[in-house]
Amino acid sequence: MLFFNHLRHFTIRFLLTSLLTIALVIGWSAIAHSQLPSLPTAASDDPRQPPDGVTRLGVYEIAMVLSPLDNKFLFEVVSPTVFNRDKPTEESLPVEVRVEEIRQRLRRLFHRAIKAKQTPIVSIATLNNRSILQLSDDQTSRPLKLVTLTEPDADYHGKTLEELAKEWQQILQVEVERIDQLFSRPVLLQRIGQSLQIAIGLLLGSFVLWFLRQALIRKQEALQTRHLESKAGSEDTTAAQFDAEISPTQILESSQTEAEAITHQRSQFLALLQQQFSLKRQLDIYSFLNWVLFWVFILLWYIGIAVIMSRVPFLMRWAIEATAAPLLLLVIWFFISLAIRIGKSLIDRLTHAWTTHPYLPLSETQRIALRAATVSGALKGLITFVFIMLGIVFSLSVFDVPTSSILAGGAVIGIAISLGSQSLIKDMVNGCLILVEDQFAVGDVIQIGDKSGLVENLNLRVTQLRDSEGKLITIPNSNITDASNLTRLWSRVDFSILVDYGNDPQQVINVLSQVSQQLYNEPQWRELMPNPPEVLGIDDLSHTGMLMRVWIQTTPMQQWIVGREFRLRVRQAFAANNIQIGRPQWITYNTDSTNIQIESSSPHRNFTGEID
């Protein structure tokens, strides 16, 4: 049942694609000349310039006469140069008008040659003392005038009128005989049979390509499944090995074991990235093969239809259009799609080189890996948009549409839109810079001005924070000038406390060092502290006491929980060692200058609650 569903979907897509290709090839001439006429350009608006298809050589203008059967070149006709086509003189007939008149008469020759039982004869005659070529057949009693030879024709070709008349007579006679032969019943049936054979070959080739594409799709799906299974197994193995290698016992035994465990975990992560990149390359190869099969399918049908049109006499007049303008359009989009694929492949390689830097910390490597996906996706979208716009511009030039005017109009519209949405553009530009420079990302805790919180959402226009009260704060990216990232790579507890001058400073430092080391030695807290705490000592002296400072480096977003635990232990240690905290003091002056009393703002209490 599944096979028949795939076959039905393929048949529908196949018929639609075939009809579209046939319409493109057969209807190209009508589309180009009737529905979408060439827009006027500077050259065509100037009456002093010759129109398309006309060549000016001094006093003569030359144009080609084509076969009514397949637009094959027959000969060139010449007329005196017309410098102002808005006001032509009675004696000078523009050469394009003369060519159009000859073309219409050759169309009548074509129909007469098809209907005639015997091959018509092209002969030379004289009309009003001028040499003409005429067609005589067995269906009409009056000859058909084809071409009138003029002195400019003979002068341009370097022959006499009689010699030129005989040459053109032979050319037209050969053309009449060719038309009569191609439309004879045996030849016509033979060519139609050959066209049917080509059509059957196209169908068989299309089904072969379809089966190849289905095989590639099945391989892609199997490869994707194996990758997901290996990725899950690799992650489980890495987690188990990491847990085993950095167990609490081993952490207490040796810091070297911890370093080896972290190095092993980082190696596992880089190996996982390498495996993903290898899979991506294989999937890209399969995708490229699918792309090649698609273009082989298009090329197969294009060549087949072009050959059929060149074989069937009724379709031969469109054969040149089928191998010219549509082919140019297909070539344009082939190279556009190829450029897009090459650009995406280069972005993937640069992304892989960016995310597998061997000297970056593991947390930074993971962060870059997450950010690289967003950046590469944006770059791929930009490349696709740019190349598609180039393809549209080149395609319009095939239709003789003045692309310079379209680009100028688009630039004016773009300027108007940019002026009307300056703030939006500023938001998007600043959002791109935040993303590319990795100032912060979703999950970071940042401070912007007087606002701080966890980044819940980040896009090109706004940044949304969730503060400690649960408020969702939305900040336009253009308003972000200074951003403080509190959780990038690592965080810090900046602990400071005032102690009384009556305490021994060295004792206070020893107690703080002891509390810090005890906290660092415990496995559950050491996992959150990459390095031992630093007791900096006395950081300030004031009337309230001595300011003691301790720095504790933590993993990202763990500074608050570590800080709370450290403050609790310092409070307990100060109480156990009878260390008094600082308090404000003032000096009271009496009338007796020899009696100066220093008092505190409150009774002197130690951590045990006793009043001194």
Side-chain angles (χ1 to χ4, degrees):
M1 186 66 182
L2 183 61
F3 172 77
F4 288 107
N5 288 334
H6 282 297
L7 183 61
R8 183 185 61 184
H9 293 161
F10 168 75
T11 304
I12 294 174
R13 292 196 301 267
F14 170 76
L15 292 176
L16 291 177
T17 306
S18 302
L19 291 176
L20 179 61
T21 307
I22 294 173
L24 174 67
V25 174
I26 296 179
W28 187 271
S29 177
I31 292 176
H33 297 289
S34 298
Q35 299 179 13
L36 293 175
S38 299
L39 296 180
T41 60
S44 60
D45 287 340
D46 190 355
R48 295 170 296 180
Q49 297 295 328
D52 294 336
V54 176
T55 303
R56 178 177 294 174
L57 294 177
V59 296
Y60 291 143
E61 291 181 340
I62 304 97
M64 295 186 298
V65 176
L66 305 178
S67 169
L69 177 63
D70 55 2
N71 291 327
K72 185 184 72 172
F73 171 76
L74 296 179
F75 50 83
E76 291 179 325
V77 296
V78 183
S79 293
T81 297
V82 178
F83 292 99
N84 191 350
R85 280 175 162 73
D86 289 343
K87 298 178 181 179
T89 61
E90 296 181 358
E91 295 80 8
S92 60
L93 182 66
V95 68
E96 65 271 14
V97 177
R98 186 183 176 197
V99 168
E100 179 62 23
E101 181 182 356
I102 296 174
R103 188 180 70 84
Q104 295 298 333
R105 291 177 179 176
L106 292 180
R107 292 293 301 167
R108 294 172 62 186
L109 175 148
F110 175 77
H111 292 293
R112 284 196 179 188
I114 294 176
K115 296 178 181 179
K117 296 180 180 180
Q118 297 181 355
T119 304
I121 303 299
V122 178
S123 59
I124 302 174
T126 302
L127 179 63
N128 298 329
N129 296 325
R130 304 178 71 177
S131 298
I132 65 171
L133 299 178
Q134 61 182 12
L135 178 72
S136 302
D137 58 67
D138 56 359
Q139 299 295 317
T140 58
S141 58
R142 183 173 180 177
L144 173 63
K145 177 184 174 183
L146 299 177
V147 183
T148 300
L149 284 81
T150 63
E151 285 294 336
D153 292 327
D155 183 38
Y156 174 76
H157 290 89
K159 299 179 181 179
T160 63
L161 286 175
E162 291 76 11
E163 293 174 345
L164 187 61
K166 290 181 180 180
E167 180 182 340
W168 287 6
Q169 177 198 12
Q170 294 176 359
I171 293 174
L172 293 177
Q173 186 63 46
V174 170
E175 187 67 18
V176 170
E177 293 175 356
R178 188 165 71 99
I179 294 173
D180 183 67
Q181 179 184 5
L182 289 176
F183 281 91
S184 62
R185 184 179 181 84
V187 176
L188 190 60
L189 292 177
Q190 179 186 5
R191 288 180 172 253
I192 292 176
Q194 293 174 352
S195 301
L196 291 177
Q197 294 176 2
I198 295 174
I200 294 174
L202 290 176
L203 293 175
L204 293 177
S206 300
F207 278 107
V208 170
L209 293 176
W210 177 77
F211 280 115
L212 290 176
R213 185 174 180 274
Q214 292 300 315
L216 287 176
I217 291 176
R218 286 193 295 269
K219 288 185 177 181
Q220 279 183 294
E221 293 175 351
L223 183 63
Q224 185 69 30
T225 302
R226 290 198 305 269
H227 167 67
L228 294 177
E229 293 176 354
S230 63
K231 180 179 178 181
S234 177
E235 291 177 349
D236 295 340
T237 303
T238 302
Q241 292 177 351
F242 181 71
D243 292 340
E245 292 183 7
I246 61 172
S247 60
T249 303
Q250 290 178 333
I251 290 177
L252 293 175
E253 290 178 354
S254 174
S255 60
Q256 182 179 2
T257 305
E258 178 189 6
E260 293 177 354
I262 294 176
T263 303
H264 181 69
Q265 183 191 22
R266 187 172 179 278
S267 301
Q268 290 286 340
F269 181 74
L270 293 178
L272 181 61
L273 289 180
Q274 183 66 33
Q275 181 183 5
Q276 292 177 351
F277 179 71
S278 177
L279 170 70
K280 186 67 170 58
R281 291 180 60 182
Q282 296 181 39
L283 293 177
D284 287 342
I285 292 174
Y286 284 122
S287 177
F288 176 76
L289 293 177
N290 275 326
W291 175 79
V292 170
L293 289 178
F294 169 77
W295 281 103
V296 169
F297 174 80
I298 295 295
L299 184 62
L300 177 68
W301 274 90
Y302 177 82
I303 294 177
I305 293 175
V307 172
I308 290 175
M309 294 178 65
S310 65
R311 300 296 297 172
V312 178
F314 293 104
L315 303 176
M316 291 176 65
R317 60 176 300 187
W318 292 287
I320 294 181
E321 285 81 359
T323 57
L327 179 60
L328 180 60
L329 193 65
L330 293 177
V331 169
I332 289 174
W333 285 104
F334 171 79
F335 283 104
I336 289 294
S337 60
L338 180 62
I340 291 175
R341 298 191 69 87
I342 293 176
K344 290 183 177 180
S345 178
L346 291 177
I347 290 175
D348 288 335
R349 290 182 176 274
L350 293 176
T351 302
H352 174 68
W354 183 23
T355 55
T356 56
H357 199 286
Y359 301 107
L360 291 177
L362 176 61
S363 58
E364 182 69 7
T365 303
Q366 294 173 337
R367 184 185 182 93
I368 291 177
L370 294 175
R371 185 164 58 99
T374 304
V375 175
S376 63
L379 290 178
K380 289 178 181 179
L382 177 62
I383 287 179
T384 302
F385 173 78
V386 170
F387 279 108
I388 287 179
M389 292 303 298
L390 289 176
I392 292 175
V393 171
F394 291 146
S395 300
L396 291 176
S397 64
V398 174
F399 288 96
D400 293 331
V401 176
T403 55
S404 58
S405 302
I406 295 177
L407 293 177
V412 172
I413 295 175
I415 293 174
I417 294 176
S418 62
L419 292 177
S421 56
Q422 293 184 17
S423 60
L424 178 61
I425 294 176
K426 289 173 62 178
D427 290 339
M428 297 183 67
V429 170
N430 205 24
C432 290
L433 294 177
I434 292 173
L435 183 64
V436 172
E437 296 173 358
D438 195 19
Q439 299 177 14
F440 52 84
V442 175
D444 286 340
V445 177
I446 64 173
Q447 181 173 356
I448 301 174
D450 58 346
K451 303 291 191 301
S452 63
L454 177 70
V455 180
E456 282 197 356
N457 183 29
L458 171 63
N459 53 45
L460 295 181
R461 199 183 73 82
V462 297
T463 298
Q464 292 182 323
L465 308 179
R466 181 77 66 177
D467 65 2
S468 58
E469 298 180 358
K471 298 178 182 178
L472 183 64
I473 304 172
T474 301
I475 304 174
N477 290 332
S478 59
N479 294 341
I480 300 177
T481 56
D482 297 317
S484 301
N485 195 331
L486 306 181
T487 56
R488 175 67 186 275
L489 298 180
W490 54 272
S491 301
R492 172 181 288 167
V493 177
D494 186 10
F495 175 81
S496 60
I497 187 171
L498 283 168
V499 297
D500 189 74
Y501 281 106
N503 301 309
D504 182 7
Q506 189 61 45
Q507 180 189 8
V508 176
I509 293 175
N510 293 336
V511 170
L512 291 176
S513 299
Q514 183 180 4
V515 173
S516 301
Q517 191 62 35
Q518 289 177 353
L519 182 66
Y520 182 72
N521 289 336
E522 295 183 10
Q524 60 178 351
W525 296 107
R526 186 171 183 178
E527 293 179 356
L528 307 180
M529 294 185 290
N531 297 313
E534 299 180 49
V535 180
L536 302 181
I538 301 176
D539 209 40
D540 189 24
L541 297 174
S542 65
H543 70 283
T544 57
M546 299 178 291
L547 180 66
M548 314 299 292
R549 187 176 299 276
V550 180
W551 279 355
I552 306 176
Q553 184 178 353
T554 69
T555 55
M557 298 189 68
Q558 300 300 322
Q559 65 267 38
W560 295 287
I561 185 172
V562 173
R564 296 187 189 100
E565 180 66 20
F566 185 74
R567 294 185 189 94
L568 174 62
R569 298 193 181 198
V570 169
R571 167 68 176 83
Q572 295 172 347
F574 277 14
N577 291 274
N578 197 24
I579 297 177
Q580 304 164 1
I581 62 173
R583 59 192 182 279
Q585 300 178 358
W586 65 83
I587 300 176
T588 303
Y589 294 91
N590 297 326
T591 55
D592 186 1
S593 59
T594 61
N595 186 12
I596 300 177
Q597 182 179 3
I598 301 177
E599 298 182 358
S600 62
S601 61
S602 61
H604 186 184
R605 293 179 180 270
N606 56 24
F607 277 114
T608 61
E610 299 176 352
I611 301 178
D612 296 337

